[in-house]
Amino acid sequence: MVQQQDSGITTCIGPHQLAGPVILAPMAGVTDRPFRALCRRLGAGLVVGEMVTSDPSLWHTRKSRLRMDHRGEPGPRAVQIAGGDAEMLATAARLNAEQGAEIIDINMGCPAKKVCNKAAGSALLRDEALVAEILDTVVAAVDVPVTLKIRTGWCAESNNAVRIARLAEDAGIQALAVHGRHRQQRYQGEAEYETIAEVASRVSIPVFANGDITSPEKARRVLDYTGADAVMVGRGAQGNPWIFREISHYLRHGEILPAPSDAERRDVLGSHLDALHAFYGDHMGVRIARKHLGWYLSSDRRLDDDGRRQLKATFNGLTSTQAQRDFIDELFRHDPASAPERVARAVAHHGTRAA
């Protein structure tokens, strides 16, 4: 449901009013609890957890337990489930709802081979009868809203997003996210928005436009072109969680916010590292922090490509939480041109390993 308010357009998923028109897309290995909390704090109107298998017998693993950890999170808490069996997906939805999930999202968009080979993710788009069965069964199994994430189709010759969208609306799906690529594209090439526009014009449930949303201006153009109710940001948030407040501000006021100051970047990077270390523990937290820091460095305009490479290599060689924290402090203490050498010297006494 979309409501018109003085401040603009507000989207609701069932009884839940979203805090803004910019949504964090679910990304396996990325949208864990620390990252969700950070993006929510920086303006995401809704955050969706990492994809969880629909097979409860696999939930005992550490990876699944961490992915299902939503302790302390404000609502609405959205959990994404993936699988190819309607009854198993329904059971997974029901169990997650019992554990506090307030929105259940069904994954029919993941292009990964290991998911598609199990007839899940975007592979489901090839079987519209099974899609209808899954949607009907899951919606009937829970009292919380159920949403769906899809691609435009399996391949260029089978663009069936509009038919899937109609099936979703008929089944009682409360909102639909559409990534503007078919499965065979994976993440290559540019997203297309014609299909999203057609979907939005053919259903009355909220539609979220996903794919290559990397700037406030791009978000505005995509919303205007597609008629979607919100944008969903995935890879554009990696290393740039500020994108949520920047897009929200631009959509509301039509002006670009100043880039975050170095002091804010230092504080956000430091708090993100602390949260990762606390959530995963020292050993695993140090390893997971490496990819996030790599993304932050890639978006740091103070640095040139050579500086980024040197700093990534240094950070990837750090083996302790304190060394990683000191790295962040040193990174913003010096002129960017001298940062790689100075940071390397400053953290060397902690001990490193080969990157």
Side-chain angles (χ1 to χ4, degrees), residues 27 71 127 135 168 229 256 266-267 288 295 297 325:
M27 293 179 283
R71 288 175 296 176
D127 189 340
L135 299 180
D229 303 287
I256 299 294
R266 181 193 63 231
D267 291 345
I288 290 174
W295 291 326
L297 291 176
R325 199 59 169 84

Side-chain angles (χ1 to χ4, degrees), residues 4 15 52 54-55 105 111 137 154-155 189 194 207 210 235 239 257 274 285 295 311 314 337:
Q4 193 75 30
V52 176
S54 61
D55 186 351
D105 186 61
T137 305
W154 173 257
C155 62
E194 292 84 359
V207 172
N210 177 228
R235 291 173 296 158
L257 283 175
D274 292 343
W295 291 326
L311 287 166
T314 297

Side-chain angles (χ1 to χ4, degrees), residues 104-231:
I104 299 294
D105 186 61
I106 302 174
N107 183 309
M108 293 189 185
C110 180
K113 283 185 178 181
K114 65 180 180 180
V115 175
C116 291
N117 287 344
K118 297 179 180 179
S122 54
L124 291 168
L125 300 176
R126 294 179 294 182
D127 189 340
E128 294 180 17
L130 178 57
V131 168
E133 179 188 358
I134 287 172
L135 299 180
D136 288 338
T137 305
V138 174
V139 169
V142 292
D143 293 327
V144 301
V146 180
T147 61
L148 176 65
K149 190 171 191 293
I150 65 171
R151 286 185 166 233
T152 58
W154 173 257
C155 62
E157 291 72 35
S158 62
N159 186 320
N160 61 345
V162 171
R163 293 198 299 275
I164 297 294
R166 297 296 294 270
L167 290 173
E169 183 172 39
D170 291 344
I173 292 296
Q174 298 289 301
L176 176 67
V178 185
H179 185 115
R181 290 181 174 89
H182 55 73
R183 187 268 169 180
Q184 291 188 356
Q185 287 178 280
R186 291 178 172 83
Y187 297 100
Q188 301 302 312
E190 296 183 358
E192 58 94 355
Y193 305 108
E194 292 84 359
T195 300
I196 301 176
E198 187 176 2
V199 167
S201 71
R202 300 287 292 277
V203 296
S204 59
I205 59 176
V207 172
F208 308 143
N210 177 228
D212 297 349
I213 308 297
T214 55
S215 71
E217 299 95 327
K218 182 69 173 291
R220 178 76 275 169
R221 291 196 299 272
V222 170
L223 285 174
D224 289 344
Y225 182 82
T226 63
D229 303 287
V231 290

Side-chain angles (χ1 to χ4, degrees), residues 275-290:
L276 289 170
H277 297 156
F279 184 68
Y280 289 106
D282 290 355
H283 176 71
M284 192 174 175
V286 163
R287 295 174 65 86
I288 290 174
R290 291 170 185 154

Side-chain angles (χ1 to χ4, degrees), residues 32-35 37 62 66 69 71 269-289 292 320-322 324-325:
D32 53 19
R33 197 177 78 189
F35 192 65
R62 187 164 192 254
L66 289 171
D69 189 341
R71 288 175 296 176
L269 267 66
S271 64
H272 192 184
L273 282 187
D274 292 343
L276 289 170
H277 297 156
F279 184 68
Y280 289 106
D282 290 355
H283 176 71
M284 192 174 175
V286 163
R287 295 174 65 86
I288 290 174
H292 285 281
S320 74
T321 59
Q322 187 59 50
Q324 289 189 339
R325 199 59 169 84

